[in-house]
Amino acid sequence: MGAVVVDPGPSSLVLDPEHVLDRASMNLANALLGNSATAPGLEVLVGGLKLRFVTGSAISVTGAEGVVTLNGNELPLNKPVRVAPGGVLVIGAARFGIRYYVAVQGGFTGRGALQAGEALTFGKAQGQGFPHIHQPARRALDPERPVVARITRGPRVPNYDAGLWLRLTTEPWILSPESDRVGARLAGRPLEVASAPAPQAQPLAAGSVVLPASGLPVIALADRPATAKSPVIALVRDDDLDLIGQARPGQMVHLLG
């Protein structure tokens, strides 16, 4: 046994790095501990997670910013910290960004949503100390400021009215509360969907901006389906996709072409 889940918070998931919504933060959390780049970690939505460590280890917390404590003392973010047996980690409400990432030395084992009272186990640590890394942490997003994501044209844009791209990249969008791990749904003035024969299903990459019949764009995220029939009108630059994963419902989103 490694740790016991006292309280999972609104949503805490054990995930592979490729399935998290802010990959850069999860990669940093693992790198700080000398873990493999593929080591599973915790994605903690908003906060509220409370873990009691049965086995001593080392942890790092990245991503969102808020008050995180270990045994009642504030724990520094974006740094490796040793935890003695009996240590209690509490992830407070995120003030900036929305998703924390927690890595443990050796990586968590298992996958899926955490439940209160669940026992977590750790993998084998790689070495004794912590590596020296030169990977700076990105500041968490201010929820009062717009999220800016750069996009490139998708394959279907030439088949649409010339004004579609202009509107997509100049009008303000709001992250809808209906967004989830499948897609970031944007609310605003619907774009005009050109009449055309239904396209064949096409592979759907993370960051694809899909235009469904509603005219409201959807940015495909980690749990997207493998294919989509709605046209892909743009692609979010890979460097900026993690920003979408840290945006809060109601936050303004600007797409820059």
Side-chain angles (χ1 to χ4, degrees), residues 49-132:
L49 174 68
K50 186 175 182 179
L51 295 180
R52 178 172 58 83
F53 285 77
V54 178
T55 305
S57 187
I59 60 172
S60 60
V61 182
T62 64
E65 294 179 12
V67 176
V68 178
T69 62
L70 180 63
N71 299 327
N73 298 313
E74 189 164 354
L75 179 144
L77 302 177
N78 307 308
K79 292 180 184 259
V81 177
R82 296 205 178 276
V83 183
V88 176
L89 175 72
V90 178
I91 308 289
R95 295 173 179 170
F96 297 90
I98 195 171
R99 289 179 170 87
Y100 292 96
Y101 291 90
V102 182
V104 65
Q105 200 163 34
F108 289 96
T109 57
R111 305 289 188 278
L114 301 188
Q115 304 295 328
E118 180 179 354
L120 299 177
T121 56
F122 312 149
K124 186 176 180 180
Q126 304 293 320
Q128 298 296 320
F130 302 130
H132 296 286

Side-chain angles (χ1 to χ4, degrees), residues 11-231:
S11 176
S12 296
L13 306 167
V14 181
L15 296 170
D16 294 324
E18 64 185 36
H19 291 119
V20 304
L21 296 192
D22 180 356
R23 300 155 300 168
S25 291
M26 185 71 257
N27 289 341
L28 174 61
N30 274 325
L32 288 167
L33 298 172
N35 287 347
S36 161
T38 59
L42 297 181
E43 182 179 271
V44 182
L45 181 66
V46 179
L49 174 68
K50 186 175 182 179
L51 295 180
R52 178 172 58 83
F53 285 77
V54 178
T55 305
S57 187
I59 60 172
S60 60
V61 182
T62 64
E65 294 179 12
V67 176
V68 178
T69 62
L70 180 63
N71 299 327
N73 298 313
E74 189 164 354
L75 179 144
L77 302 177
N78 307 308
K79 292 180 184 259
V81 177
R82 296 205 178 276
V83 183
V88 176
L89 175 72
V90 178
I91 308 289
R95 295 173 179 170
F96 297 90
I98 195 171
R99 289 179 170 87
Y100 292 96
Y101 291 90
V102 182
V104 65
Q105 200 163 34
F108 289 96
T109 57
R111 305 289 188 278
L114 301 188
Q115 304 295 328
E118 180 179 354
L120 299 177
T121 56
F122 312 149
K124 186 176 180 180
Q126 304 293 320
Q128 298 296 320
F130 302 130
H132 296 286
I133 65 169
H134 304 283
Q135 184 178 343
R138 183 192 65 237
R139 288 304 307 270
L141 296 178
D142 184 340
E144 301 300 322
R145 293 179 177 273
V147 179
V148 178
R150 295 163 293 179
I151 60 175
T152 55
R153 291 176 181 264
R156 292 298 306 278
V157 168
N159 298 330
Y160 284 76
D161 179 82
L164 181 145
W165 182 257
L166 180 64
R167 288 193 52 208
L168 179 68
T169 55
T170 58
E171 294 190 6
W173 300 99
I174 300 295
L175 186 66
S176 168
E178 297 180 1
S179 300
D180 53 24
R181 296 183 55 78
V182 173
R185 302 176 184 278
L186 303 183
R189 192 160 64 100
L191 300 173
E192 184 176 351
V193 181
S195 59
Q200 296 293 320
Q202 56 191 314
L204 191 62
S208 297
V209 182
V210 178
L211 187 62
S214 66
L216 296 176
V218 179
I219 302 172
L221 299 177
D223 289 351
R224 67 198 180 280
T227 61
K229 285 193 173 181
S230 295

